[in-house]
Amino acid sequence: MEQYHILNRVSTPADIRGMDYPTLDALCAEIRDFLIQNVSKTGGHLASNLGVVELTIALHRVFHTPEDTLIWDVGHQCYTHKILTGRRDRFDTLRQPGGLSGFPKPAESPYDAFTVGHSSTSISAAYAASCANKMSGSDLCSVAVIGDGAFTGGLAYEALNNAGRSKNNLVIVLNHNAMSISRNVGAFARYLALIRSKPSYLRLKERVEMILDHTPFIGKGIKEWLTSSKSLLKVLLYHSTFFEELGFAYFGPVDGHNLPELEQTLRRARELHRPAFVHVETVKGKGYEYAEKNPMAYHGVGGFDIETGNPDVAPADSFSTTFGALLTHLADRDDRICGITAAMTEGTGLVHFATEHKNRFFDVGIAEQHAMTFSAGLAAKGYLPVFAVYSTFLQRAYDQILHDAAIDRLHAVLAVDRAGLVGEDGETHQGIYDVSFLTGIPGVTIFSPSTYHELEIQLRRALYDTEGVVAVRYPRGSEPETQIAGCNPAGDFSFWEGTTRLAAVSYGRIFHSLYPAARAQKEPPALFQLNRIWPLSDKLVEKLLGYERIVFFEEAVQNGSISEHLCRRLNEEGYQGHFTAFTLPNAFIRQGSVPGLLAEYRLDQDSMTTILQEELSS
Amino acid sequence: MEQYHILNRVSTPADIRGMDYPTLDALCAEIRDFLIQNVSKTGGHLASNLGVVELTIALHRVFHTPEDTLIWDVGHQCYTHKILTGRRDRFDTLRQPGGLSGFPKPAESPYDAFTVGHSSTSISAAYAASCANKMSGSDLCSVAVIGDGAFTGGLAYEALNNAGRSKNNLVIVLNHNAMSISRNVGAFARYLALIRSKPSYLRLKERVEMILDHTPFIGKGIKEWLTSSKSLLKVLLYHSTFFEELGFAYFGPVDGHNLPELEQTLRRARELHRPAFVHVETVKGKGYEYAEKNPMAYHGVGGFDIETGNPDVAPADSFSTTFGALLTHLADRDDRICGITAAMTEGTGLVHFATEHKNRFFDVGIAEQHAMTFSAGLAAKGYLPVFAVYSTFLQRAYDQILHDAAIDRLHAVLAVDRAGLVGEDGETHQGIYDVSFLTGIPGVTIFSPSTYHELEIQLRRALYDTEGVVAVRYPRGSEPETQIAGCNPAGDFSFWEGTTRLAAVSYGRIFHSLYPAARAQKEPPALFQLNRIWPLSDKLVEKLLGYERIVFFEEAVQNGSISEHLCRRLNEEGYQGHFTAFTLPNAFIRQGSVPGLLAEYRLDQDSMTTILQEELSS
């Protein structure tokens, strides 16, 4: 830490408010070095954070944080914010168990105004804060910092539509990445690029106003006429961007790496005391060659070698890439198959599909609602849509699954990635609710493969042997290293004989912990691995009724879990034995390693071994 | 029917395609009369349907339905569409058990392309259909008809953002009601009004183009320069509305009651073979004096007297109005209380609150996601937000409840109206999923009052004695006519002594059927009425363990129900008796009368009487 001479002097934003620009430039360089050094060890989001170093400094200098409310959209770009707000010395604990969160977290600091993690919430929350300030007679300001990617989410638009008609002290900062011009999705992104390419056009308005302001008599008269009349010129001059039409004062585009210019613009926006929209241009990965060249690779990273830019470990095969390869292969032979993603082409393994089946691939932006309704629309026309989505983001599409797809039994396939615990991203990203909310929607079928081979077989079943909405859910990362003999992945469940005194049941990746735990018992229990986890197989229930005791291990929140549904069903069938379920609690699960968290909730092999022993000796 | 000389000749849209305009004018008059006659008897949506008679005719004449895909947003304005597509003779069964749905329903007709009921889905679905047409090499067109109200929903924007960048055969028809200028919410609505007020400005572009087209040599040169250059003029002329900036060809505003003009514009849009946006002006309630004057009152109506416009029955007290009055009263004394609604000020009973506490009232438009995140944002600033919302529309905010409010235990109150079966609106509107999805979110508390008095007490508990997200859910309509003696509405549950051989449990309105059914038994069972239905009261569980048998009646979908959670809990506690639950099935419940549906699923008093008898004699 001794090399960070300036940074070491910063404990709160007050410490940077008195600095001059040469010092601030040096501070920016130190912060970039600090970010690269740390993230190369802890992993995390690098490119987006390197892009907002100046912006973060400018925001904390212009606004009186934490009294002024500052909300980061998605929140993965909050690292400099954390470093400047008293968390520099704990920064090496980022994303570690018990350490700093990779996202803003109010419990961690008063500077973190709102829990974030999912996209497009910041304008709603900042507008709410501005309404609260207004109601309490406060003159404080609220700021949302939102990327152009997050602007593809409808929630951002809903909030903009509400905020624009207010007179509140509210500043929306659009963080417009160079990266996104080519990659970002949709007509709105194209519109932003158009604005950026036409600064002279946009500045015309300012120039005309300035000229009029400085031309005595005649100028003033013309300006008044312009302002009051309904002339064409007024419409043209005073509604030069959509944001102005929505009620915002528009500033920009401004260079997001030029501190004085940034601060001047933000200060003007703050002084307006009405909704303002500041369009800031930044470069993702700014200051680290490898990240600037390939910002996607440095969006979320594990550790890496700073000199070469090489990641610690070459990316292994994963459920995501296996799914992507398989879907591409299936689509070669079936031209009804479409691939849909909500801005997660890489994450969900659809890169190859996107090039091989370009005309049947749809990246809709961060717009899970639309992705689902769009999938339903394709299904209604006889296509086979496969919406690949992280479990945590599928939460956004609950009503669209139920209302747009399930009611009419449209055949849409959900490839639910990152199902189960995700580890380092913590509470906001755990994929532990999908079983609960999907089984609450009538007619949904769910498969839960634990290996690539099972994924392949069950994805085929989902596509070709199932009606209505069907989800295939699989965890983050790779399949278990050891395969299990005797599986029946094409059936609704696999079964291994054992004592009639105990049946042990599970599904998904933790079955690979249950299997050895069970087989190691002196008198091994019967083993059931569920493949089609919902609806419950009648044959499964019938078989289970024959055991004195049943123990079920499940990596999902308790309410609405398969084990809970099974418990009810066993009760209906008059089961007289003992049924015990180990699930995740009805609680939010904080960040930690997946193995560590599984152990904490007794879903690891050691715990299972103990539990089975206890059950067998009961 | 004999008075409808022209309408009687229409069985399919083909029958209107050859008619001349005088005949069509007469047809429009007949349809209006038909609508008024029928809806005055069956109830339903009147004003919106009277507004789109000409538009519906124009659409079916210009587009080749059903091969061209026609999707009505929300769908309550589909009556003329149904009348013209072979359902005229069954129209008197509208919204009745076994009768026509009040919404488009693919199972009912090939002209109904997509299941609708909730708002803002039409552009996603129509765009999907246009993609499907493109993939299959078809030249057919897809049309979405969407009101300005539905445009406040973010899903519409997500879809627009995707559709605008395509080259598909897609026409978005904006049905812009006169009513909505004053009532509709937000900056976008203001923008639409601005466009409408500036037809001369918008038509400038057409005029300039026409002049240039008709001026030889010089004109052509200038036009080419305009089209190819990056001049200011080009930007001004060729990006005259936001829709054009998003990639749509913009047409309008056009008079929605002028058939020739409408058809000409729609035909031009269809012939473009690329995304087009047609801005149509209509008058809600057109042609029926009372509905034109007061369209809100005729948005959704019961029967009414045609001559006087008076409804069959004066609006009774309801849970909604009781809630509204109470919240207004509480807000008189507590200036932290805010009322939030998503375009349902009247429906949720907040009319009075909106005037009494104007500065703490927020109608956010049809934007449930924003409503919830906004509520969370207010809670984060120490306010007491109460989001009043129909159960079925709360489905839209699932992720916002979980991610934006529940993770940080923000204290936001959900006033969940129309919880349980809603009757005539059918599958798309049943409020039977909220218990399932809310109990799947950690930390949520749920109250379920069955009377106004209980609502009052439990809303106070929700506001002042509960942490985190808390829902108070109550049914559509009025409280039961008879009150029950011995309730303990301030406690987590009410209890009436009875035989230890049987405990009968329920909550909400159907407890008022269970109570008499139980008390009428020779040897009455013990009775439990849950007030705080979730989390389960430990004391309740402890008491229940003392009964030989337990029977639970619940008006909610089975998976994720309170009875299912209780079944699991009883199992954990080692309960040795018999537990039986009667819930709604894991299925979509079609339209019907609420009493009829309750009887069908054995949740009425007669069924309960029989079930209790059987339980007591087991």
Side-chain angles (χ1 to χ4, degrees), chain A residues 383-586:
Chain A
Y383 279 83
L384 267 177
V386 180
F387 174 26
V389 56
Y390 294 4
S391 170
T392 190
F393 300 135
L394 185 59
Q395 293 166 194
R396 281 276 167 96
Y398 174 79
D399 185 51
Q400 287 71 30
I401 301 169
L402 190 155
H403 178 274
D404 300 328
I407 287 181
D408 213 28
R409 282 195 79 66
L410 293 170
H411 185 35
V413 176
L414 302 169
V416 184
D417 203 328
R418 272 73 162 169
L421 295 165
V422 298
E424 291 76 8
D425 281 339
E427 290 92 332
T428 51
H429 286 68
Q430 306 289 13
I432 60 180
Y433 307 101
D434 62 279
V435 169
S436 175
F437 73 75
L438 287 174
T439 58
I441 298 174
V444 172
T445 301
I446 312 177
F447 293 96
S448 192
S450 71
T451 64
Y452 301 156
H453 180 58
E454 289 167 12
L455 170 59
E456 179 175 341
I457 289 172
Q458 290 164 27
L459 182 61
R460 285 176 195 271
R461 278 193 73 186
L463 281 163
Y464 298 113
D465 298 329
T466 315
E467 293 184 341
V469 176
V470 48
V472 183
R473 64 191 300 279
Y474 40 86
R476 184 177 189 168
S478 309
E479 68 177 354
E481 283 171 22
T482 51
Q483 298 280 324
I484 294 171
C487 287
N488 172 31
D492 287 342
F493 61 94
S494 296
F495 170 65
W496 292 263
E497 295 268 7
T499 171
T500 57
R501 291 183 47 234
L502 180 63
V505 190
S506 191
Y507 64 83
R509 65 176 158 196
I510 63 169
F511 182 77
H512 288 253
S513 301
L514 178 59
Y515 182 89
R519 301 321 260 178
Q521 303 293 328
K522 274 187 213 153
E523 185 195 17
L527 263 172
F528 293 80
Q529 178 195 14
L530 312 190
N531 296 316
R532 192 193 73 185
I533 65 174
W534 186 258
L536 289 171
S537 150
D538 290 335
K539 210 172 130 196
L540 169 80
V541 174
E542 194 188 314
K543 266 181 111 79
L544 284 172
L545 292 173
Y547 292 86
E548 290 173 32
R549 306 180 77 88
I550 302 168
V551 60
F552 196 131
F553 297 94
E554 184 170 14
E555 187 186 343
V557 77
Q558 182 181 48
N559 274 2
S561 61
I562 301 298
S563 57
E564 190 178 61
H565 303 318
L566 177 62
C567 179
R568 168 181 51 73
R569 178 71 183 274
L570 290 171
N571 176 69
E572 284 167 13
E573 303 285 343
Y575 179 62
Q576 296 292 319
H578 284 79
F579 175 83
T580 312
F582 294 84
T583 66
L584 297 170
N586 290 323

Side-chain angles (χ1 to χ4, degrees), chain A residues 118 124 154 158 161 165 187-188 246 363 369-370 395-396 399 403 439 534 559 564-565 568 571 579, chain B residues 118 124 154 158 161 165 187-188 246 363 369-370 395-396 399 403 439 534 559 564-565 568 571 579:
Chain A
H118 290 190
S124 286
E158 291 179 355
N161 187 43
R165 64 172 169 159
F188 187 75
L246 286 187
D363 179 355
Q369 295 191 99
H370 168 70
Q395 293 166 194
R396 281 276 167 96
D399 185 51
H403 178 274
T439 58
W534 186 258
N559 274 2
E564 190 178 61
H565 303 318
R568 168 181 51 73
N571 176 69
F579 175 83
Chain B
H118 290 191
S124 286
E158 291 179 355
N161 187 42
R165 62 172 171 159
F188 187 74
L246 286 187
D363 180 355
Q369 294 192 101
H370 168 70
Q395 293 166 194
R396 281 276 167 96
D399 186 50
H403 178 273
T439 58
W534 185 256
N559 274 1
E564 190 178 60
H565 303 319
R568 170 182 50 72
N571 177 68
F579 175 82

Side-chain angles (χ1 to χ4, degrees), chain A residues 114 121 124-125 128 155, chain B residues 369-378 400 404:
Chain A
F114 199 67
T121 67
S124 286
L155 176 53
Chain B
Q369 294 192 101
H370 168 70
M372 192 62 222
T373 306
F374 179 76
S375 297
L378 290 176
Q400 287 70 30
D404 300 328

